[in-house]
Every structure is written in structure tokens, then in C-alpha cells.
Amino acid sequence: IAFTSTDAGATLPVNYTFVGGDLGVKTFAGSLFMLETTGNQTITVTDGVAVISETTANIDVAAGALSYFTITGAPATTYAGIAFTNPLTVTAFDAYDNIKTNYTGEVAFTSPEDALATLPANYTFVGGDNGAKTFLGAEFILRTTPSATIVVTDTATSINEDTGGIIVVNPGTLGSIEITGAPATIKAGEAFSGDITVTAKDLVGNVKTDYVGTVT
């Protein structure tokens, strides 16, 4: 006999040839069977000679334990102090790449490179999320150049995922111009001994490396 399943990822016993001592009945350990794909699945046993087979009733396969997240929608580049335009979606998966539609854990957002970032508050998934939650782009503001990531973490297990690559954070709108190097005292008619540095900064305080304005 041979075992097959509607689940292409299933683990099943190898083909087995009955012997007289089986008396027509063979018990297979439950540990030899594992289904990996969510939804209704069946297992079929077939006699290869007579081509006689029998199939189980539908087996409802739910997602397994949380294994990882994905974060989609994060921009490749953004501007300091400016909210994201597009929403970000966080999706929970089990170890077999099934969306964990029954996930009801709490997630927290952090940005290791940007302590000034504005990020969503902790969120607890509910049944209606079906394992995926979309957060508005307006909830995400990065403020520190030149780059950052956003990390989502399950607060109970510490399983986490980042935005997959670095988000380039460009300086934002011009906010100030700083002058450094001027002496505290000087004699009339005497040139300054040190250099004077003029630095353009954005509203958050990042050096505005893309500044091309004219100063007087």
C-alpha cells in the first residue's frame, strides 16, 4: 500500500507490504503523519496492484506555532520628519509558510537606529485580522539620517522581523542654519584666526546634506 495526500508538503509513511502476521490489519504510529498546509486536507491509502483506495474525511489543518513575520509596504527612501505615504502590513506565519490566521499575539514596533522615530503603539491581533494587520503610513515617521530599519516583535516570544533592508532617511525641510567658529573677542581690523563653518540643518536637527540654497 502507498500513502498520498492532498497536502504536497505532507510527511507520510513509506510504502508498506502486509505480511501474514498482520492478519489484514496494520497500525501506523501517529508520528509518521504530519500535514503542513492549512485548510482541508485528506490522506489516501492505495493498493498498487488492485488500484483499490480509501480516503479519509477532510482534516482541518490550522496554522502551527508562530515562526516569523513579514513586513510589506515600507519605502526604500523617506525624508526625516515626514510620515510614510503608504501603509505597512505585518503578517504572521508558522514554520511551514502558512499565514497564521489564528494569531492573537501582541506586537511592538521599534527602530534600533532611530530613537526619535514615531511608531505605532503596541497592538494585539484579533481573530478578525486573520494573521495580517495593516497600519497607516501616517503612524510611521523616521527622524534620524542616514538610514534606519523598523522592527516588529512578538512581545511574548521575542520573535521579530525587520523591514528587510535599510530605509534611506534623507534630510527633511530646511530648519536652521548654524554658524560656528566665530571668536568671542577680536581686535578691530584683524582677520579671524580660525575658520567659520556654516551648517544647514533640517527641522529635526540632521545636517541637510542635500542643501543647495544661497546664503548671505
Side-chain angles (χ1 to χ4, degrees):
I1 58 170
F3 292 91
T4 57
S5 175
T6 52
D7 181 354
T11 297
L12 302 168
V14 298
N15 290 8
Y16 178 77
T17 300
F18 277 69
V19 295
D22 291 329
L23 300 176
V25 178
K26 175 64 179 176
T27 298
F28 297 86
S31 59
L32 297 176
F33 299 83
M34 184 171 66
L35 300 177
E36 296 183 356
T37 306
T38 55
N40 287 329
Q41 306 293 347
T42 60
I43 296 171
T44 299
V45 60
T46 303
D47 175 279
V49 177
V51 198
I52 295 172
S53 63
E54 180 65 23
T55 299
T56 64
N58 282 335
I59 302 169
D60 185 9
V61 183
L66 176 68
S67 179
Y68 66 95
F69 295 103
T70 60
I71 305 174
T72 56
T77 61
T78 188
Y79 289 90
I82 304 299
F84 291 179
T85 302
N86 297 324
L88 271 67
T89 299
V90 176
T91 306
F93 288 84
D94 68 10
Y96 305 102
D97 302 326
N98 298 299
I99 295 177
K100 189 168 171 56
T101 54
N102 56 358
Y103 178 64
T104 53
E106 179 188 57
V107 296
F109 290 90
T110 56
S111 179
E113 302 84 3
D114 188 351
L116 301 177
T118 294
L119 301 169
N122 287 16
Y123 178 78
T124 300
F125 278 65
V126 297
D129 291 329
N130 291 317
K133 174 64 178 178
T134 297
F135 298 85
L136 296 177
E139 297 182 77
F140 298 86
I141 302 174
L142 297 177
R143 291 186 169 86
T144 304
T145 60
S147 61
T149 58
I150 294 171
V151 178
V152 60
T153 303
D154 177 90
T155 57
T157 65
S158 297
I159 292 172
N160 63 74
E161 181 64 35
D162 64 28
T163 41
I166 296 296
I167 301 172
V168 175
V169 183
N170 294 311
T173 303
L174 179 66
S176 64
I177 296 178
E178 294 184 356
I179 304 174
T180 57
T185 60
I186 192 76
K187 292 180 180 179
E190 184 177 82
F192 292 180
S193 59
D195 295 331
I196 301 298
T197 300
V198 177
T199 304
K201 294 189 174 182
D202 66 13
L203 292 169
V204 188
N206 299 296
V207 176
K208 190 165 172 55
T209 54
D210 58 354
Y211 179 64
V212 291
T214 301
V215 297
T216 302

